[in-house]
Amino acid sequence: MKDLLKVNYDNDRITLSARELHEFLEIGTHFKDWFPRMCEYGFEEEKDFRSILSKSTGGRPSTDYEITLDMAKEIAMIQRNEKGKQARHYFIEIEKQWNSPEYIMNRALEYSRKQVERLMLANKVKDQQISELKPKADYCDVILKSKSLVNIGQIAKDYGMSAQELNRRLYFLGVQYKQGGQWLLYSKYQDKGYTSSETIDIPKNNGTTIVKMNTKWTQKGRLFLYELLKREDILPMIERN
């Protein structure tokens, strides 16, 4: 079958350019006046046609319309001339070929192939998201599984730091300050349940003891530190590449 006009097989339907059809039919009326008049025969935008920009040959791109094969057949029939007859017979042959068992099978296979590709892509995206979220889940799981208090040295170890370094960072971040040898939270954090003070009896050589207060972190506080340090681009070792 000789190709009189270029057709597109898109979204399971056949379409073609209204401008190219206008040119083939050798319509005397200017395209911008002719196409609206054709639409008066009951054709609906988005159902029978949609506007597109045609490729420019040097000037600004002009408006074209992608029309369905059914619309093209009716327009060809309306012309009542030899060109219209040729176009209509051409469209009927294309439609017959499109609806042949061979073409239907090919479309079904192509549809199945695209579905498989979409599923494979979706699975790859899902795997990527899981791999990105897993380190955080692993570290948070470690925190949430433990109900005990932890000292700053244990938390610092998670980040590959010393207790002194982490305490210093938290000081500069405005979280805590040191008083009487003990690190204390600033007032804005004191009632959040992030820490708990323990009393430690330290024996002296002369047989007496001194009492010292030691700050330990709750698991809630540990999660707070995780989010705080993450905003500073400081991640626990388990989340680093």
Side-chain angles (χ1 to χ4, degrees), residues 44-237:
E44 299 177 25
E45 190 168 4
E46 297 303 329
K47 178 184 176 183
D48 300 300
F49 66 92
R50 67 182 183 90
S51 63
I52 57 174
L53 290 177
S54 62
K55 293 182 179 179
S56 173
T57 55
R60 291 185 304 173
S62 55
T63 301
D64 193 0
Y65 297 89
E66 185 181 63
I67 63 177
T68 63
L69 188 66
D70 285 340
M71 180 174 178
K73 283 194 298 183
E74 289 195 47
I75 289 176
M77 185 173 60
I78 291 169
Q79 304 313 308
R80 293 188 176 87
N81 58 28
E82 186 60 30
K83 281 287 187 176
K85 183 178 179 181
Q86 288 179 21
R88 185 168 178 272
H89 286 167
Y90 173 66
F91 296 147
I92 289 172
E93 288 302 313
I94 288 177
E95 191 172 44
K96 284 181 181 178
Q97 187 181 63
W98 175 257
N99 292 322
S100 68
E102 181 183 358
Y103 268 66
I104 291 173
M105 180 62 72
N106 286 339
R107 290 202 302 278
L109 290 173
E110 180 64 15
Y111 175 80
S112 298
R113 184 186 66 78
K114 288 181 178 179
Q115 286 295 96
V116 169
E117 287 180 353
R118 289 192 192 99
L119 288 173
M120 289 177 66
L121 179 59
N123 286 335
K124 287 181 180 178
V125 171
K126 187 176 180 181
D127 289 342
Q128 175 69 18
Q129 290 172 335
I130 290 173
S131 66
E132 289 172 352
L133 293 174
K134 192 175 187 302
K136 179 179 178 179
D138 287 344
Y139 184 68
C140 290
D141 284 346
V142 169
I143 295 174
L144 296 174
K145 284 176 183 177
S146 174
K147 303 300 179 183
S148 60
L149 300 172
V150 292
N151 60 45
I152 195 67
Q154 291 171 285
I155 299 174
K157 188 176 180 180
D158 293 341
Y159 292 86
M161 300 182 194
S162 65
Q164 290 81 1
E165 183 182 357
L166 182 53
N167 274 326
R168 190 165 55 251
R169 284 181 181 272
L170 296 180
Y171 168 73
F172 284 115
L173 289 171
V175 174
Q176 62 181 14
Y177 64 97
K178 200 169 189 178
Q179 181 175 309
Q182 181 185 9
W183 286 102
L184 301 173
L185 299 183
Y186 281 106
S187 57
K188 65 184 291 188
Y189 300 114
Q190 285 177 354
D191 60 350
K192 306 294 186 182
Y194 294 156
T195 61
S196 177
S197 294
E198 287 186 340
T199 302
I200 302 174
D201 293 331
I202 302 176
K204 297 182 69 176
N205 292 334
N206 61 7
T208 62
T209 61
I210 60 172
V211 177
K212 184 178 179 181
M213 298 296 291
N214 186 37
T215 300
K216 286 197 171 184
W217 290 82
T218 64
Q219 299 307 317
K220 182 180 179 182
R222 200 173 172 188
L223 283 171
F224 159 71
L225 293 181
Y226 169 78
E227 296 296 341
L228 174 72
L229 294 171
K230 185 177 180 181
R231 289 195 294 272
E232 299 295 319
D233 293 325
I234 302 171
L235 297 176
M237 302 298 290

